[in-house]
Amino acid sequence: MKIAIGADHGGYSLKEVVVPFIQSLGHEVEDVGCDCSQSVDYPDYALPVCELVAAGKADRGILICGTGIGMSIAANKVTGIRCALVHDMFSAQATRDHNDTNVLAMGERVIGPGIAQEIIRIWLETPFSNGERHVGRLDKVKRIEAKYAQPVHAE
Ligand code: RB5
């Protein structure tokens, strides 16, 4: 798969660790930054990752900040994105199985690199169950998204 990844300064160090790990699993990585630990704003990195995923130019996205919270909030504003904030292996599996999440958010200040890599491996390998009840619930989520969708204007 092609994986888009982005981080702010709070997630930069973990991103540098997980990029080669994702490549070692056989995936292609598009890294949108940031490129150092200087202070930046997480929405500026959540948006390009989510736009790549929403446009079908990346199969999945991974976002890292200090807590993962800001990244996940920003990601879930983008139409078509289902982002889960995950810090344990059970949730990594369940959110693919039940929610068909296409973006994963994590916090570098919350978990270490070993757990982060295992979460990523599980999240990338677990398929959506396609179970009827889960599809129905996701359809309801999509209806909420459609209800509040605003026309996009060029800036
Ligand atoms: C940056 O200090 C921090 O606020 C950010 O990385 C993230 O945790 C926000 O949710």
Side-chain angles (χ1 to χ4, degrees):
M1 288 192 286
K2 181 166 177 182
I3 313 299
I5 190 165
D8 73 355
H9 56 289
Y12 167 71
S13 299
L14 182 56
K15 174 171 73 65
E16 294 305 293
V17 172
V18 301
V19 165
F21 173 72
I22 296 165
Q23 290 166 331
S24 78
L25 295 176
H27 302 289
E28 184 188 344
V29 174
E30 180 162 348
D31 184 349
V32 307
C34 63
D35 299 320
C36 67
S37 52
Q38 204 167 5
S39 183
V40 292
D41 300 330
Y42 58 81
D44 295 337
Y45 298 90
L47 184 60
V49 165
C50 292
E51 286 185 333
L52 284 167
V53 174
K57 293 177 182 166
D59 299 293
R60 304 269 191 90
I62 296 177
L63 295 169
I64 308 171
C65 62
T67 60
I69 296 170
M71 285 293 199
S72 61
I73 291 171
N76 280 311
K77 302 295 181 193
V78 178
T79 301
I81 295 303
R82 294 176 301 281
C83 175
L85 173 58
V86 173
H87 290 129
D88 67 276
M89 276 71 118
F90 172 77
S91 302
Q93 188 273 337
T95 194
R96 286 289 311 135
D97 189 20
H98 291 206
N99 313 122
D100 196 18
T101 43
N102 50 15
V103 175
L104 171 70
M106 295 182 295
E108 180 189 311
R109 298 172 188 160
V110 183
I111 51 171
I115 301 285
Q117 288 175 344
E118 191 56 12
I119 287 169
I120 288 171
R121 190 187 62 72
I122 293 167
W123 186 75
L124 290 177
E125 288 177 0
T126 304
F128 177 46
S129 68
N130 241 334
E132 194 179 330
R133 70 184 195 282
H134 298 309
V135 171
R137 288 164 188 160
L138 287 177
D139 282 344
K140 290 190 177 188
V141 171
K142 284 176 194 157
R143 269 180 249 144
I144 295 172
E145 192 175 61
K147 181 177 178 183
Y148 290 98
Q150 299 290 322
V152 177
H153 300 289
E155 289 180 8

